[in-house]
Amino acid sequence: MVLMYQGCIFEILFSLVYVNEKGNEVAESAVNSAIGYIEQSGKYNLKLEVTRVSGNRNNDSNEMLKSLCENYHRMLDNKRPPHLVLDTTMTDMASETVKIFTRGLALPTISASYGQNGDLREWNNLDIIERKYLIQVSPPADLIPEMIRKLVVRQLMISAAIMYDKTFVMDHKHQSLLRNIATRHLISEINPTEIDQQLLRMIKFDLVNFFILGSLETIKLVLDSAWKHNLFNKNKKYAFYILTQDLGDLLECEIKNGTIFFGQPSVNKNFKSRLDFLKKTYFLDGKPEMTASFYFDLSIQAFLTVRNMMIDGTLYYTKNPKYITCDEYNKLNKPTRAGLDLEVMFKMQTEHTIESPSFGNLVVVSNGLSSMRFEMNLNLIDFRQGHVSRKITVGNWMGGIDSNISDVNSKIFDSYHAVLTYRVVVAEQTPFIFRDPEHPKGYNGYCIDLMDKIGKLAKFEYEVILATNNEFGHMDEKGHWNGLIKDLMDKKADIGLGPISVMEERESVIDFTVPYYDLVGITILMKIPYVPTSLFKFLGVLEDEVWYCIIAAYFFTSFLLWIFDRMSPMSYRNNPEKYENDNDNRDFTLKECLWFCMTSLTPQGGGEAPKNSSGRFAAGAWWLFGFIIISSYTANLAAFLTVSRLETPIESLDDLAKQYKIQYAPMNGSQSATYFLRMKNIEKRFYEIWKDMSLNRTMNDTERAKLAVWDYPVSQRYSKMWIAMTQAGFPKSLEEAVKRVRDSPSSSEGFAYLGDGTDIKYLEMTNCDLKPVGEEFSRKPYALALPEGSSLKNQLNTAILMLLNMRELEHLKEKWWNKNPNKIVCDEQDNQSDGISIQNIGGVFIIIFVGIGISLVTLAFEYWWIKCRKPSEVTAIEVLSRSENERH
């Protein structure tokens, strides 16, 4: 409301909603100072009616929204709808709740919340009308961390530890601060009581560049802890970059000898007198001073913008602006503010204000890009015996999202860095490189040990990063590379480490050192044929049903012989007088029948045959049956024990190519697959050359006749193999390839893998069911890879040759191959050229032992029967004899 008398402005009533969060006392103090400044200055005729809302930063959004709505409804009831919402909440729940509230009810808002474009979640997709009255301006503490990005890029840092205290807010910058920069980093809020543990944790992660954002008091605590843990050693392994909002000199600390990078805001000489005046007159004494000045200037410019709009009527975009309550809002009845352009008026006010700022002008661009322009002085500070001994200005930085660092002394600036550290990109391949959380580098293996030794000779440190998609890299049809090779081409790493084969096409885009490993080629991986052993393998010659029938026939025949002997009048049992002069007379009891049939199956024979004709016919049938069974069993036993020896093994690539039962293929996209594809293409090219020559019409008939042959002169071996590989399917990973090999039914059918010789050698060393087959082919050396034109080439070549002369490379081979802890000692498989093993025929000896055991039991029974039972029978006979004698 504007009260006027005879055309003169008497008083302007300004209805303001001020939203803050607990813990942001510097904003509260600065806004109060701004309100006092406006109201006490007689030239503005501005009376502010302030409605205050405060909430916790991480509090429940419902509680914050409830407080906003209650105060807003009270203003509507008093016919005092808000002209402006001034928001100094920072981030997270409180700030997003305010944004939801003001956007939903279409309330003109100027916010000092933290965040750039992607961080303003609730204001990210504002329409054209909303952008005109919902304005966000980033505080200085939200811009200073952006200098970290500039320093990391400028100094080519590969690691960064970012620590901050309560004077900074970094929650929203964890992902965006160093986005698209190949720098390993960790962001952590400083706990004053645990600074030692935090620094040690950063060191454990091998971070060497420390960025400390905080007050001077916090900075002193961190520097003291760093000195205590020897982080300012003479090797300069660690570098400290200090960024603060505070004015004044650094406090004395415990650093006896060390250097830090120190960034600090500077007060423009043109604004210093005004800042001193505001501190003294309006108690603008919040800390940090620059943040207090920002909130003060933002509030003043916001108040004056709305005042001017109230005077010229542009604030009242309609005759009766519509306001709705929180309860009435349903997303469909949102008020419209089509005629309101707070953004343009606010921008004009900040550009043409007569109120000079304290540190720098407010620059309004758009939400996420608007901020205060302030200057940061960048210095290198030397400490001696706990005091600042020297301060050198090396550059300056004008606060802004896209501002760059300006050098003042670039030579000295560049001289300050952590120990020389290179980025090493790797692709995993055991045992050359594999993950090991317990190793300081996070990886272990032959190549890591090699790089450690090279680093000691060349005096540098290195950081390991994993290659894109964990691949060495290959070139597609369009000439584009991927994996480790691509990372080196893009300068994301300084060194490529691993079993990297030296190839012509790779040398055209990157450089290689001298080889550090012998020539390695492609070989075949197959499953070791496993012949199961069994002590009773000889029983497997016949099926179980046959054995059951043989046993049944044995008992049936024995029973028949016994029946025939009892019933036949011609048997010895029934006609003993007829055979009393024969020397061999045998009573065929059931026991004798069982024994006769059993011994008849042996070369020893069954002994005396039955006397009766019926028994003899039955015995003859049993002998014929036994002869056929024994002959069949003997013949099949020999074949059964030797059939596995008839399989023809694969011994070379030619053997593999000539057969069709075993499928074979290399891993998809691997170096081995590239080799076979190129050999196929070479054969095709040769065929085209021969065809062009033989059909060349420029030749005479005699010359063409010399090229005329019935058969194609160049073998199509690799073309046929490539077709077979395509039909078999290329494994997508080494694990898939090994699984397919293991799933092979036997050594004569299934799958064979064509891969890198060192891979297959390691698989053989750590598995007992896999073996390499044939000689290696297409052999190439391993070397370190470098970006093209790298200055490290000569240095690394020298180090590798020195290690070769010191026989260190041989020691590494011994460690990772012959003495590898994962090496398995396997039981030797039966040699198929040897005789029958005890594992397959041992059941026969068990039968002997069982027979001997039964014999011993029988002997014991017989002994008991004779010694214990026989005397009793004799005594009974004697008693009967005596009784008979007494009667007589």
Side-chain angles (χ1 to χ4, degrees), residues 634-816:
T634 304
N636 280 277
L637 178 62
F640 185 75
L641 294 177
T642 58
V643 66
S644 60
R645 306 179 192 182
L646 300 177
E647 295 182 357
T648 303
I650 300 297
E651 296 180 350
S652 66
L653 185 65
D654 286 336
D655 293 340
L656 195 64
K658 292 175 182 177
Q659 56 79 50
Y660 61 90
K661 289 186 177 181
I662 301 176
Q663 295 182 328
Y664 53 90
M667 189 165 60
N668 187 32
S670 65
Q671 168 190 324
S672 303
T674 302
Y675 167 78
F676 285 101
L677 177 61
R678 290 181 180 174
M679 292 298 288
K680 187 260 300 186
N681 292 335
I682 290 172
E683 286 181 348
K684 182 179 179 181
R685 183 68 60 86
F686 282 173
Y687 171 77
E688 296 293 337
I689 294 173
W690 169 76
K691 185 175 69 172
D692 292 341
M693 292 172 57
S694 61
L695 298 178
N696 191 350
R697 294 296 180 182
T698 61
M699 294 182 179
N700 57 42
D701 294 340
T702 303
E703 292 175 337
R704 292 219 320 268
K706 293 179 181 180
L707 298 175
V709 292
W710 284 105
D711 296 326
Y712 175 43
V714 179
S715 170
Q716 290 183 308
R717 170 190 179 192
Y718 288 98
S719 300
K720 295 176 181 178
M721 290 184 69
W722 184 258
I723 294 173
M725 292 176 185
T726 305
Q727 292 174 349
F730 298 95
K732 296 180 181 179
S733 64
L734 183 60
E735 291 75 16
E736 180 185 342
V738 172
K739 183 178 183 302
R740 290 180 64 179
V741 172
R742 282 201 171 109
D743 290 342
S744 300
S746 67
S747 61
S748 60
E749 59 179 323
F751 182 78
Y753 171 63
L754 298 166
D756 187 272
T758 52
D759 276 345
I760 292 177
K761 180 180 178 182
Y762 184 77
L763 288 170
E764 178 196 19
M765 185 176 71
T766 56
N767 296 275
C768 293
D769 58 343
L770 303 173
K771 67 173 182 178
V773 174
E775 298 292 332
E776 292 184 4
F777 53 93
S778 182
R779 303 178 71 193
K780 295 175 283 293
Y782 289 159
L784 301 182
L786 302 168
E788 194 170 18
S790 173
S791 59
L792 288 173
K793 186 173 182 178
N794 292 334
Q795 186 180 8
L796 295 178
N797 284 344
T798 302
I800 293 173
L801 292 175
M802 290 177 64
L803 292 174
L804 184 63
N805 292 333
M806 294 186 293
R807 304 179 70 86
E808 291 291 338
L809 300 183
E810 293 182 15
H811 294 159
L812 290 181
K813 286 184 183 179
E814 180 73 14
K815 173 183 176 182
W816 289 104

Side-chain angles (χ1 to χ4, degrees), residues 345-474:
M345 297 301 293
F346 185 58
K347 185 182 296 186
M348 292 175 56
Q349 174 64 33
T350 57
E351 291 175 351
H352 304 95
T353 181
I354 60 174
E355 298 291 338
S356 58
S358 306
F359 276 80
N361 295 315
L362 295 176
V363 178
V364 180
V365 181
S366 63
N367 291 349
L369 297 177
S370 302
S371 62
M372 182 175 77
R373 289 291 185 262
F374 58 93
E375 186 176 11
M376 295 278 288
N377 285 338
L378 310 179
N379 308 289
L380 287 181
I381 296 179
D382 293 336
F383 281 92
R384 297 293 183 273
Q385 302 303 319
H387 302 282
V388 176
S389 63
R390 186 176 63 164
K391 182 177 181 180
I392 303 175
T393 300
V394 295
N396 56 70
W397 181 71
M398 187 62 67
I401 301 299
D402 298 321
S403 299
N404 293 317
I405 295 175
S406 300
D407 291 346
V408 174
N409 192 328
S410 59
K411 185 176 181 180
I412 297 178
F413 199 148
D414 294 338
S415 68
Y416 184 76
H417 53 74
V419 70
L420 187 60
T421 306
Y422 293 120
R423 294 164 292 178
V424 176
V425 61
V426 303
E428 294 179 64
Q429 181 175 321
T430 309
F432 289 95
I433 294 177
F434 57 90
R435 292 182 186 274
D436 183 1
E438 297 181 359
H439 195 279
K441 302 298 183 183
Y443 292 85
N444 205 345
Y446 178 100
C447 289
I448 297 297
D449 286 351
L450 173 66
M451 186 54 64
D452 287 340
K453 294 180 181 297
I454 293 175
K456 288 181 181 179
L457 292 176
K459 297 180 180 180
F460 67 78
E461 293 288 336
Y462 68 95
E463 177 199 21
V464 178
I465 58 176
L466 190 64
T468 303
N469 297 327
N470 195 16
E471 295 180 354
F472 290 101
H474 64 276

Side-chain angles (χ1 to χ4, degrees), residues 82-147:
H83 297 114
L84 178 71
V85 177
L86 180 62
D87 171 30
T88 58
T89 58
M90 292 186 285
T91 62
D92 290 342
M93 197 63 70
S95 181
E96 294 302 321
T97 302
V98 176
K99 289 180 171 60
I100 293 172
F101 171 77
T102 55
R103 183 180 184 182
L105 301 180
L107 301 178
T109 304
I110 293 180
S111 174
S113 62
Y114 286 59
Q116 279 65 59
N117 291 326
D119 304 316
L120 308 174
R121 294 189 296 271
E122 298 300 332
W123 282 7
N124 265 345
N125 55 346
L126 299 179
D127 58 33
I128 297 176
I129 295 176
E130 290 174 327
R131 285 198 293 267
K132 292 182 179 181
Y133 63 84
L134 299 176
I135 302 170
Q136 183 257 354
V137 183
S138 299
D142 196 33
L143 298 180
I144 292 176
E146 294 298 319
M147 190 162 46

Side-chain angles (χ1 to χ4, degrees), residues 309-322:
M309 296 176 70
M310 293 173 69
I311 293 174
D312 60 21
T314 55
L315 183 64
Y316 300 104
Y317 36 88
T318 61
K319 186 174 182 181
N320 294 307
K322 180 182 178 182

